[in-house]
Amino acid sequence: MSERLAVLALILACGVARAAEAPKLSCDEVRQAQLEREPGFLIIDVRSPADYAAGHIQGARSVPVSEIGPLAVPRDGKVVVYCPDPSCPSDTTAADKLAGMGYSNVSVLEGGLDAKPSSRP
């Protein structure tokens, strides 16, 4: 009986870990990572290929949320996913899928494609 409880506890712990909300990165933080050419850094546009073709963040890869799977980057590399705007849930869905596959450094672009850099003096 205690073995069953241990398995159940493990299942629940994994479910709770996946349910944690992915951290959000600002437009400025994503741009800084691009400029610094961080190893293993990847930006993923989870919109449709047609929307991606119409315009996307420079350097982003098109991977619609329905096609999210293992990526050609280290599992500890920084991965940022984005949607068109803050009301779109596909970015968090993609982040959860990646976290469930063992990617440990997945973030969501705060504000999505509509994100604007901060004004600098």
Side-chain angles (χ1 to χ4, degrees):
M1 183 68 152
S2 64
E3 186 177 323
R4 285 184 181 175
L5 288 175
V7 170
L8 180 59
L10 180 60
I11 291 169
L12 289 173
C14 290
V16 169
R18 279 189 221 132
E21 190 171 322
K24 296 189 184 310
L25 290 181
S26 70
C27 182
D28 292 334
E29 290 170 312
V30 171
R31 185 66 185 140
Q32 189 63 38
Q34 285 179 311
L35 293 172
E36 292 175 2
R37 298 180 188 267
E38 290 186 20
F41 179 68
L42 178 64
I43 303 172
I44 298 177
D45 185 322
V46 298
R47 302 173 301 150
S48 72
D51 288 338
Y52 174 85
H56 56 273
I57 294 173
Q58 182 180 6
R61 184 186 303 174
S62 176
V63 184
V65 69
S66 63
E67 297 176 18
I68 289 290
L71 304 169
V73 295
R75 292 193 186 264
D76 62 347
K78 185 182 283 187
V79 179
V80 179
V81 295
Y82 72 90
C83 270
D85 59 58
S87 67
C88 172
S90 294
D91 52 6
T92 54
T93 300
D96 289 345
K97 282 183 173 184
L98 290 167
M101 287 182 251
Y103 287 86
S104 61
N105 196 358
V106 180
S107 302
V108 171
L109 175 59
E110 189 172 28
L113 189 58
D114 289 346
K116 305 286 185 242
S118 65
S119 57
R120 296 185 179 160

